[in-house]
Amino acid sequence: MQGQRLLKLLSKIPRNGSTNFLSPKFVLKTYSNPFHQHHFSEISTLSRSHLWKICNPNGVSGKIRNGVLWSNTGRSKFPVGVHTRRNFHSFDSHNRGWRSVSRRLTTDGVVLGLIITNVAVFMVWSIAGHEFMVKNFMISVDNFTSGRLHTLITNAFSHKDMSHLVGNMIGLYFFGTSIGHTFGPQYLLKLYLSGAVVGSIFYLVYHAFIASSVQGNRMFGIDPSKVPALGASGAVNAIMLLDIFLNPTKTILFNLFIPVPAFLVGIFIIGQDVWRSLQGGGQVSGSTHLGGATVAALAFIQSKRGRFRRF
């Protein structure tokens, strides 16, 4: 009944085909929908080209298409708009907040932020207890099965010594800056985190199902599932190899002083990590690096299809 009264009231409005909006003083009614807890105020402020719905507490009573109100009781031609006032924070508002923050990101800011975070975690190693850091900033099958899922990411901000840290940060700075300028700072941050997570997953799968069968990996009677790892190598590998895939002919200073074509460096890096994984053991995790290489390959394929912004 309320919907019918609403339609009758609207039908009394003078029809004027040249009018795109009603007087601002004309406000129909404000009411609360008990099913959705939304507050609606119908005001005629929208153009004819919009499609809107007239709602009542019992559901939808009509639709407006190009200035015509369609309902079970007939139609009335006039422009009507529905203005919605919500009494809660919607999911869209949170998305808009994140987009607002992400638009303020810069490539230099993301690179610097990642470097500072890595340095900060490195310093925490000298302050916090060793057991705490091993459980929360290193990846291992034992940590993962114990419910410490955050180590999938936190291990990628942790390093064992200064040379380990400096080597990864140099690669992050040069290749990260290149990727950021090509695809944007948001993409760079997502690529780093994706390389970290996928690298950790590769490490877990390798040490849970493969490492024990590889000759020489069970050295000194250590259970592979309890061997922890740390480092940003998987994340940096994703960034570095994507830049190499995109620019295979550019020159890279291998070890900071030997000029080498980028594609040769890429072949060397991937080949070395495959060899490490097949040999097992060693202090460098080839499986983690290969996880980063997989992310780089997928990102490269997406970029060629013109879909890198969805990454």
Side-chain angles (χ1 to χ4, degrees), residues 8-9 12 19 23 77 79 90 94 99 127 140 155 159 183 215 223 235 239 267 274 282:
K8 290 180 179 179
L9 177 59
K12 296 179 180 179
T19 302
S23 171
K77 189 174 181 180
S90 68
H94 291 294
R99 287 195 295 267
I127 301 173
S140 68
N155 82 90
H159 296 82
F183 296 124
Q215 184 180 4
D223 183 357
I239 295 171
I267 293 173
V274 170

Side-chain angles (χ1 to χ4, degrees), residues 56-77:
N56 62 37
N58 296 319
V60 177
S61 61
K63 293 182 179 179
I64 295 169
R65 188 189 303 273
N66 295 326
V68 178
L69 174 63
W70 297 88
S71 71
N72 296 330
T73 60
R75 67 177 184 173
S76 178
K77 189 174 181 180

Side-chain angles (χ1 to χ4, degrees), residues 230-260:
L230 76 172
S233 300
V236 174
N237 225 35
I239 295 171
M240 178 172 61
L241 286 175
L242 176 57
D243 189 65
I244 290 175
F245 293 160
L246 293 170
N247 307 284
T249 59
K250 78 173 184 179
T251 301
I252 293 178
L253 294 179
F254 189 68
N255 287 337
L256 298 181
F257 64 91
I258 304 176
V260 181

Side-chain angles (χ1 to χ4, degrees), residues 39-51:
H39 291 283
F40 296 90
S41 176
E42 288 99 80
I43 323 173
S44 177
T45 57
L46 299 178
S47 66
R48 298 171 180 268
S49 61
H50 288 81
L51 172 64

Side-chain angles (χ1 to χ4, degrees), residues 66-124:
N66 295 326
V68 178
L69 174 63
W70 297 88
S71 71
N72 296 330
T73 60
R75 67 177 184 173
S76 178
K77 189 174 181 180
F78 55 86
V80 178
V82 178
H83 174 67
T84 302
R85 298 201 307 268
R86 301 174 184 265
N87 59 350
F88 61 92
H89 295 289
S90 68
F91 181 74
D92 288 340
S93 66
H94 291 294
N95 281 345
R96 287 194 297 270
W98 162 247
R99 287 195 295 267
S100 177
V101 172
S102 62
R103 281 196 295 267
R104 291 196 292 267
L105 293 176
T106 64
T107 295
D108 292 340
V110 170
V111 171
L112 182 60
L114 290 172
I115 292 176
I116 290 175
T117 303
N118 277 272
V119 172
V121 173
F122 179 73
M123 295 176 65
V124 172

Side-chain angles (χ1 to χ4, degrees), residues 166-180:
V166 172
N168 278 332
M169 294 305 99
I170 289 176
L172 173 61
Y173 177 77
F174 287 105
F175 293 100
T177 300
S178 176
I179 292 296

